[in-house]
Amino acid sequence: MKPKAFFGVVVPMVTPVTQDARLDTKAVERIINFFAEAGVSPLLMGTTGEGNSVSQQDGLRMVETAVKAAAGRITLYAGLTGNCFAEQVAQAEAYTKAGADVIVATLPTYYALTPEQMEDYYRRLADSITGPLMLYNILATTHMSIPVDVIRRLADHPNIVGLKDSERDLERMAQCIEIARGREDFSFFCGWAAQSARSLELGGDGIVPSTGNYVPEMFRQLYEAAVSGDMATANRLQDETNEIAKIYQKDRTLGQSLAALKVMMQTKGLCEPWMLMPLTRLSDEQEKAIRDALD
């Protein structure tokens, strides 16, 4: 079997903004170069990237800036969110025209959807856009789970190239990896960072760890160790990155953890810790505690 088109480490990149909520394009360039030098790709405007809070105008600027900075060195994944189908199609096409390699779409989230509606949504989206589409399952934010049998059927669609699954369910993870195993045209990416090594050991194609914003090189090393069969090294790196993740995640909501992650990135000169509404920056005391923990 020839190598799959989509694999490896894909970091769900933070969206850097200024104090007045403008896209910080210079920071986008710094982060993209940081990722390219580490050999990892970005997922722009995913959950970690506050995708639901990014305007359509800034979303396009984000893709354009990232494409220019990447200069063909890495694959660019662009997140797609929202509830208006026509606007989603238009935005996906704009991202693809700007140079995004893959569109990664979550379910629309205002209404609870039946499995049939989920399948129809993704089929219609895949039929309506020119760029390849990746499914994105994240129960924590959409409050819905794409059934495994729906994923199995969607995997046969010629324009659906993979699944990023962030659901914390080991049995489900194994079932989804099995769907992707042995086929060239559909990839499985594990969005549950704490199970990165395990997913690769089971035959997953890639990992999507938010902690990769801070230590992308460690996840690249973890990936390379796992795919080469060196699980001792992969599991050691898993434990080490899990400890780093606790610095920004422990005892915080998801939104607070993203603000804390930006504080960590600030210590490397990558971005400032401003957030897009409705999320907010942490207090001075909380930010100092994170910097102290890193020291």
Side-chain angles (χ1 to χ4, degrees), residues 9-279:
V9 182
V10 179
V11 176
M13 178 176 154
V14 303
T15 296
V17 295
T18 60
Q19 185 173 359
D20 57 357
R22 295 172 183 262
L23 182 68
D24 188 342
T25 54
K26 292 298 182 185
V28 172
E29 292 170 357
R30 287 194 296 271
I31 297 169
I32 291 294
N33 280 314
F34 181 56
F35 287 180
E37 290 168 2
V40 305
S41 292
L43 166 58
L44 308 173
M45 298 165 295
T47 303
T48 304
E50 303 169 78
N52 278 284
S53 302
V54 178
S55 69
Q56 291 187 6
Q57 181 180 13
D58 274 348
L60 181 55
R61 288 180 63 216
M62 179 94 163
V63 173
E64 290 171 342
T65 303
V67 168
K68 185 175 180 181
R73 293 175 290 171
I74 49 180
T75 303
L76 296 179
Y77 298 75
L80 190 69
T81 59
N83 292 308
C84 175
F85 186 77
E87 289 181 356
Q88 285 186 299
V89 170
Q91 199 72 357
E93 291 297 82
Y95 292 164
T96 299
K97 185 177 179 180
D101 297 295
V102 191
I103 300 299
V104 185
T106 59
L107 287 169
T109 58
Y110 189 80
Y111 300 104
L113 303 176
T114 67
E116 293 78 16
Q117 288 170 329
M118 294 181 196
E119 184 171 350
D120 183 58
Y121 164 74
Y122 278 119
R123 287 192 183 280
R124 287 185 60 191
L125 184 60
D127 288 341
S128 301
I129 65 176
T130 53
L133 175 66
M134 186 171 287
L135 315 176
Y136 182 178
N137 182 68
I138 179 163
L139 174 64
T141 58
T142 66
H143 310 293
M144 291 179 282
S145 177
I146 308 169
V148 174
D149 61 337
V150 170
I151 292 167
R152 186 174 290 109
R153 290 192 294 272
L154 289 172
D156 289 330
H157 191 289
N159 200 35
I160 295 178
V161 298
L163 164 71
K164 182 213 166 182
D165 201 303
S166 298
E167 194 159 333
R168 299 190 173 197
D169 182 327
L170 288 172
E171 182 180 357
R172 174 191 172 88
M173 182 176 79
Q175 292 173 340
C176 291
I177 289 172
E178 192 59 37
I179 292 171
R181 190 196 306 276
R183 56 186 302 166
E184 301 172 356
D185 58 349
F186 190 83
S187 300
F188 174 85
F189 284 79
C190 178
W192 183 4
Q195 295 296 328
S196 295
R198 177 61 176 157
S199 71
L200 294 168
E201 184 178 24
L202 290 175
D205 302 292
I207 54 177
V208 191
S210 62
T211 310
N213 279 279
Y214 183 68
V215 285
E217 72 288 347
M218 291 183 71
F219 285 99
R220 177 68 185 187
Q221 292 163 10
L222 185 159
Y223 171 82
E224 291 177 344
V227 297
S228 68
D230 182 3
M231 291 310 302
T233 297
N235 287 324
R236 173 181 61 77
L237 288 163
Q238 182 73 78
D239 291 341
E240 292 174 2
T241 54
N242 288 348
E243 290 303 308
I244 294 170
K246 290 178 183 178
I247 297 173
Y248 69 97
Q249 292 176 349
K250 191 173 187 300
D251 299 325
R252 292 190 174 90
T253 65
L254 175 56
Q256 290 171 328
S257 75
L258 302 183
L261 178 57
K262 286 186 179 180
V263 174
M264 293 171 63
M265 295 176 72
Q266 184 186 36
T267 67
K268 292 191 173 185
L270 293 168
C271 68
E272 296 295 315
W274 301 107
M275 304 296 291
L276 291 168
M277 289 289 291
L279 300 182

